[in-house]
Amino acid sequence: MANLSNINLYDVAVIGAGVAGSVLAHELTKHGLKVCVVDKARGSGGRLASKRFKSLTAKDVASNTSELGTVERNGGVRNISLAADMGCYVFAANTESFQKTLVDWMAQGRVLPNNFESDKRMSNWRTCRRSSWLTRSLLQKVDTKFSMKIVQLSHASGLWRAYTEGGDEAEAIVAKNIVLTMPPPQIALLLPDTHPDRLKLMHVPYQCQWVLPVFVSHESAPTFKAQLDSMLSAHGDNWLSHYWEESSKPQRAEHPIVSCFVLYLNEWCSRAHGNSDAAQVEDFVLDKIKQGNRIDICKIYAHRWLYAQCCQPIRGSAGYMQLDDNLYACGDGFASIADPTYEGVERAYLGAIDLAARLVPNALNADDQLACS
C-alpha cells in the first residue's frame, strides 16, 4: 500500500468541467466524497461555455464609423468588456428525472424556462446569466483546478495519477478513481496504445460548428436583426443555422453601447470551413452581411467547436464506460440514451447521474477497506 500521508488523495478526480463533469462532481461531493475537477480551460462550462473577448477600447469607439458614444467613468473613457455565450444556451428535457432536476435548478437560480418566441429551436429550457453559471454554481463546493491539461495517466498500488502538461511527479493529481469527461478522441490519447477501446474511441467523428458573436451599434441592431431573419427565411445560398440576441436573455443587462448577436453557421457551411482559421470565417460572414443593409459592425469573433458525433453509446452500460479498474469515461457520447432527439446536455446529465450512483458506494466501500488495512 502506498504511503497516503504525504499526498493529497482524492476519492475521485474528474477530468473535464463540462456538464457531465460538473454534475458528477456535484453529486459525489453531496455524498461526502473528496472530489477534484481539472480542466484545461480557464473556467468551467464545456458546451455551456461563455467567453470573454478583447475589450472594445476608447480608440475603437472613436475610430468606429458610427457614433457609438462613450462611457464616462471618473471623468474618462473606460474600456468596454465584451463577452458572449458561445455554446449550447438552450436545451430540452425529455426524461422525467431531468425535468425534475431542472425544476430544482430553476428554484436555485441556475436555469429558466425558454419562453422566447424568437428562438425557433424546440428547446424548453435555457441557461440564465452567463451559460457557464450553471456549471460554476454546481462546482461551488468542489476543489477545481483550471488551466491544467492532463497529458498522462498511470496506475500503481491501487491509485491513479494524472500528470499535467509541464508538471512533475510531485504535481500529479492522485485519486482512487478517475473519470474522463472529454470527447472520446481526446480520451483515447490518454490510453495506452494496447488498450482494447483506444482505436474505437479515436475514430469517433467530430462535428464542426462555427459560432460568431457579432457586436453592432445599438442603432444598427434592429436593422441587423431584420437582415438575419430575412437570411433565415431565404432559399438558396443559406449559410446561417440560427442566431440569438444576448440582450433577449433573462438577467442579462443590456450593454451601454453595443448589441451582441451570436450567429451559428449551419452544418453544411461549418463543415465546408472545417479547416479554415477564425479570420477566414470572420471575413466570410462579413462578406455575407455586407450584401444586405449597411450595418455598423464594432467587433466580430469566430470560434470553432468540435462536438463528438456519438448518439449511440460506445460499449457502455447505463450512461458511462469503464475503461480500467476505477477508470471511467462519462459524457453525452457514452450515455445510454440512443435516441438522437435527446440533446447532449440531457445525455451528459443522465450519464453523470448513473455513474455517481456507482461511484458513491464503491468509494465508501474502499474507505472501509483502507480503515481495516
Side-chain angles (χ1 to χ4, degrees):
M1 177 68 67
N3 183 5
L4 304 182
S5 61
N6 298 325
I7 60 176
N8 187 14
L9 177 63
Y10 294 97
D11 292 312
V12 183
V14 180
I15 315 302
V19 177
S22 300
V23 170
L24 177 63
H26 179 76
E27 290 297 315
L28 297 177
T29 302
K30 280 198 311 184
H31 287 85
L33 274 64
K34 185 177 180 180
V35 181
C36 170
V37 173
V38 185
D39 200 291
K40 64 182 180 181
R42 291 181 296 175
S44 66
R47 68 170 65 237
L48 295 180
S50 305
K51 187 175 179 65
R52 293 191 178 277
F53 305 94
K54 181 181 178 181
S55 296
L56 190 66
T57 65
K59 182 179 179 181
D60 294 326
V61 173
S63 63
N64 197 275
T65 55
S66 65
E67 290 295 328
L68 296 182
T70 59
V71 180
E72 295 295 331
R73 185 178 185 182
N74 297 328
V77 179
R78 64 175 173 86
N79 289 353
I80 303 167
S81 177
L82 301 180
D85 290 334
M86 301 288 288
C88 180
Y89 64 98
V90 292
F91 45 88
N94 294 283
T95 58
E96 183 177 349
S97 62
F98 192 41
Q99 290 172 358
K100 182 178 182 300
T101 295
L102 287 170
V103 171
D104 293 338
W105 284 355
M106 180 175 65
Q108 297 159 7
R110 292 172 175 159
V111 297
L112 286 171
N114 180 28
N115 296 323
F116 286 88
E117 295 181 2
S118 60
D119 195 331
K120 305 297 193 299
R121 305 180 69 194
M122 297 300 292
S123 300
N124 48 8
W125 291 88
R126 65 192 298 131
T127 55
C128 57
R129 304 187 188 182
R130 288 280 166 218
S131 288
S132 57
W133 164 246
L134 173 58
T135 54
R136 291 204 314 271
S137 65
L138 290 171
L139 295 174
Q140 284 179 339
K141 297 182 179 180
V142 180
D143 184 4
T144 54
K145 302 178 186 296
F146 295 117
S147 300
M148 294 180 65
K149 182 179 180 180
I150 301 300
V151 295
Q152 184 181 350
L153 302 175
S154 70
H155 188 237
S157 302
L159 297 177
W160 282 96
R161 283 174 169 79
Y163 299 92
T164 60
E165 189 173 47
D168 56 21
E169 177 77 22
E171 296 174 295
I173 295 165
V174 185
K176 303 170 191 174
N177 302 269
I178 284 187
V179 181
L180 306 171
T181 67
M182 310 96 75
Q186 294 180 23
I187 291 175
L189 296 176
L190 294 175
L191 300 178
D193 292 342
T194 56
H195 193 283
D197 293 306
R198 188 176 189 275
L199 285 178
K200 185 182 297 183
L201 296 173
M202 184 74 76
H203 288 95
V204 171
Y206 279 116
Q207 176 180 333
C208 174
Q209 170 76 74
W210 279 101
V211 183
L212 295 97
V214 181
F215 297 89
V216 304
S217 67
H218 276 331
E219 293 80 1
S220 293
T223 303
F224 189 45
K225 176 177 170 56
Q227 181 175 334
L228 293 175
D229 289 336
S230 176
M231 289 176 174
L232 286 174
S233 61
H235 298 287
D237 183 24
N238 191 5
W239 53 275
L240 185 64
S241 169
H242 61 283
Y243 76 91
W244 70 283
E245 297 175 75
E246 283 261 326
S247 60
S248 70
K249 194 170 184 180
Q251 301 183 15
R252 179 64 48 78
E254 189 175 74
H255 201 285
I257 290 182
V258 296
S259 296
C260 178
F261 294 79
V262 183
L263 279 54
Y264 292 75
L265 270 60
N266 61 28
E267 182 179 349
W268 175 86
C269 192
S270 289
R271 189 166 57 246
H273 289 276
N275 295 321
S276 302
D277 60 30
Q280 291 173 317
V281 177
E282 290 165 7
D283 289 341
F284 167 80
V285 172
L286 282 173
D287 183 63
K288 293 293 185 181
I289 293 173
K290 290 176 182 177
Q291 294 176 13
N293 298 304
R294 181 179 180 276
I295 305 295
D296 294 325
I297 304 293
C298 304
K299 289 287 183 180
I300 181 172
Y301 300 91
H303 180 79
R304 184 182 65 175
W305 289 105
L306 291 174
Y307 294 117
Q309 286 182 307
C310 188
C311 291
Q312 301 289 335
I314 307 176
R315 199 181 62 76
S317 61
Y320 58 87
M321 181 177 182
Q322 183 163 2
L323 299 167
D324 206 331
D325 291 340
N326 300 328
L327 177 65
Y328 304 89
C330 180
D332 63 300
F334 302 94
S336 57
I337 299 297
D339 187 343
T341 61
Y342 282 59
E343 295 180 355
V345 172
E346 182 168 19
R347 293 201 305 268
Y349 166 83
L350 294 172
I353 293 298
D354 288 340
L355 182 52
R358 172 169 180 167
L359 287 177
V360 169
N362 282 4
L364 295 178
N365 290 337
D367 285 341
D368 292 339
Q369 293 171 8
L370 284 174
C372 296
S373 61

